[in-house]
């Protein structure tokens, strides 16, 4: 329940941020101070940021209670709530294609929840920091590289074809951040405010998380403004989810269910969520390609 509530808060904040970004001048990741100034002086964006912060704090607690292979799919199911909000708040409409994707996500979440067994599921207990660092740094640099390449490819006009690389870049960096959050949650003692603060400040994961989260934040905000939310958000979500589940599970020693039925349900749920999140942007890409072709024909005429 806490995972679902924090997911709702996180995605509600995302919608508020998207609305605020639409009214701001173009963001430039190479000018981080100017970018931050524009964001923090916008009340609507700050409200969205506050909701996201509440969601992330809740996720820290969730990750100490259930394994990554359960938590991350639940977090990613927020794309359903996100699309419903964009329909009601931002005035967008869902197509039959998008409803099919939503149904796939919900089916996957049901399978994952059904596979949860409190007697056999184990929660990872903090992996080796150096090993996590050796994975986190190259992956973060790779995400930044994808973002830079997407910006150069799109140029000033930022063609829609760059939306998927933008989502991929944000997803990689946020996936690394998710893996580090798992390490931080495993190293925090949740027995009172003083012990929480002391254990968090003593954890090296906190100081690794700060720069990675900042990089992911700058990339995602810029990508969200440049690209279409219907593509950037789902691609970012599925990439970050799969990265955190695969890399985080290996880093922190969590295991899949031993029971055959639970294992099938867990893997089926993960596969259904991944397939649905990749399915959702396909219609938008096809429509974009058709629009680009039409624009080219008009120009040629």
């Amino acid at each position: 329940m806490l995972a679902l509530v924090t997911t709702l808060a996180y995605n509600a904040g995302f919608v508020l941020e998207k609305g605020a970004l639409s009214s701001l001048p173009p963001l430039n990741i190479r000018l981080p101070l100017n970018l931050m100034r524009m964001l923090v002086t916008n009340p609507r964006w700050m409200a969205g940021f506050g909701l996201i912060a509440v969601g992330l704090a809740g996720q820290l607690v969730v990750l100490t209670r259930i394994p990554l292979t359960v938590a991350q799919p639940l977090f990613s199911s927020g794309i359903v709530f996100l699309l419903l909000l964009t329909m009601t708040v931002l005035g967008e409409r869902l197509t039959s294609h998008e409803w099919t994707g939503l149904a796939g996500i919900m089916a996957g979440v049901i399978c994952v929840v059904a596979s949860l067994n409190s007697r056999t599921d184990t929660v990872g207990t903090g992996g080796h920091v150096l090993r996590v660092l050796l994975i986190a740094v190259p992956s973060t640099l790779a995400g930044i590289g994808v973002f830079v390449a997407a910006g150069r490819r799109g140029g000033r006009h930022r063609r829609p074809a760059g939306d998927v690389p933008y989502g991929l870049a944000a997803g990689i960096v946020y996936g690394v951040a998710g893996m580090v959050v798992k390490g931080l949650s495993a190293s925090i003692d949740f027995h009172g405010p003083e012990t929480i603060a002391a254990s968090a400040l003593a954890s090296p994961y906190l100081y690794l998380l700060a720069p990675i989260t900042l990089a992911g934040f700058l990339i995602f905000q810029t990508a969200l403004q440049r690209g279409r939310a219907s593509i950037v958000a789902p691609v970012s979500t599925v990439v970050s989810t799969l990265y955190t589940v695969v890399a985080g599970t290996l880093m922190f020693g969590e295991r899949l269910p031993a029971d055959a039925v639970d294992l099938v349900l867990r893997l089926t749920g993960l596969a259904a969520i991944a397939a649905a999140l990749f399915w959702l942007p396909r219609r938008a890409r096809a429509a974009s390609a058709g629009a680009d072709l039409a624009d080219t024909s008009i120009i040629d005429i």
Side-chain angles (χ1 to χ4, degrees):
M1 290 301 298
L2 180 59
L4 293 175
V5 170
T6 55
T7 298
L8 295 181
Y10 181 88
N11 285 280
F14 170 81
V15 172
L16 287 176
E17 283 192 347
K18 174 60 180 176
L21 288 168
S22 300
S23 62
L24 291 176
L27 302 179
N28 188 344
I29 194 173
R30 290 176 293 182
L31 301 173
L33 293 180
N34 183 60
L35 186 154
M36 293 296 296
R37 179 187 59 80
M38 287 194 295
L39 296 180
V40 300
T41 55
N42 188 296
R44 186 176 182 184
W45 187 90
M46 286 298 296
F49 180 78
L51 279 176
I52 291 175
V54 170
L56 290 175
Q59 288 180 12
L60 267 177
V61 179
V62 170
L63 288 171
T64 67
R65 300 291 188 269
I66 56 178
L68 276 169
T69 52
V70 177
Q72 286 302 123
L74 290 176
F75 296 154
S76 68
S77 69
I79 194 68
V80 176
F81 182 62
L82 170 64
L83 289 178
L84 292 175
L85 278 181
T86 57
M87 180 176 63
T88 57
V89 177
L90 301 179
E92 299 179 359
R93 291 293 178 265
L94 298 179
T95 64
S96 58
H97 178 94
E98 290 166 332
W99 283 116
T100 302
L102 295 181
I105 292 174
M106 291 309 300
V109 171
I110 291 172
C111 288
V112 171
V113 172
S115 74
L116 182 59
N117 189 327
S118 60
R119 294 176 299 174
T120 57
D121 281 314
T122 58
V123 179
T125 57
H128 194 283
V129 177
L130 180 59
R131 185 172 58 181
V132 173
L133 187 66
L134 292 175
I135 297 296
V137 173
S139 297
T140 302
L141 293 177
I144 295 173
V146 172
F147 176 83
V148 172
R152 289 177 177 175
R153 181 183 178 187
R156 285 187 177 181
H157 301 290
R158 300 185 184 92
R159 292 173 297 179
D163 291 354
V164 174
Y166 278 138
L168 176 62
I172 292 173
V173 181
Y174 271 149
V176 177
M179 180 182 66
V180 177
V181 166
K182 173 60 184 177
L184 178 61
S185 68
S187 62
I188 292 179
D189 185 352
F190 286 92
H191 295 87
E194 293 184 0
T195 56
I196 290 175
S199 57
L201 291 173
S203 173
Y205 287 110
L206 179 65
Y207 307 99
L208 178 61
L209 178 63
I212 294 175
T213 302
L214 178 61
F217 171 81
L218 295 175
I219 288 174
F220 185 74
Q221 294 297 323
T222 307
L224 186 60
Q225 187 186 57
R226 293 181 181 181
R228 292 162 293 167
S230 60
I231 292 182
V232 173
V235 171
S236 175
T237 298
V238 70
V239 171
S240 63
T241 296
L242 293 180
Y243 183 99
T244 303
V245 168
V246 175
T249 299
L250 293 175
M251 289 296 102
F252 301 109
E254 293 184 350
R255 297 180 180 179
L256 291 170
D259 181 78
V261 175
D262 289 340
L263 177 62
V264 170
L265 285 172
R266 186 76 55 87
L267 294 178
T268 301
L270 290 173
I273 292 171
L277 288 173
F278 275 118
W279 166 266
L280 283 170
R282 289 184 60 195
R283 180 60 58 85
R285 286 198 298 267
S288 172
D292 289 345
L293 180 60
D295 290 342
T296 302
S297 300
I298 291 172
I299 292 172
D300 290 343
I301 292 172

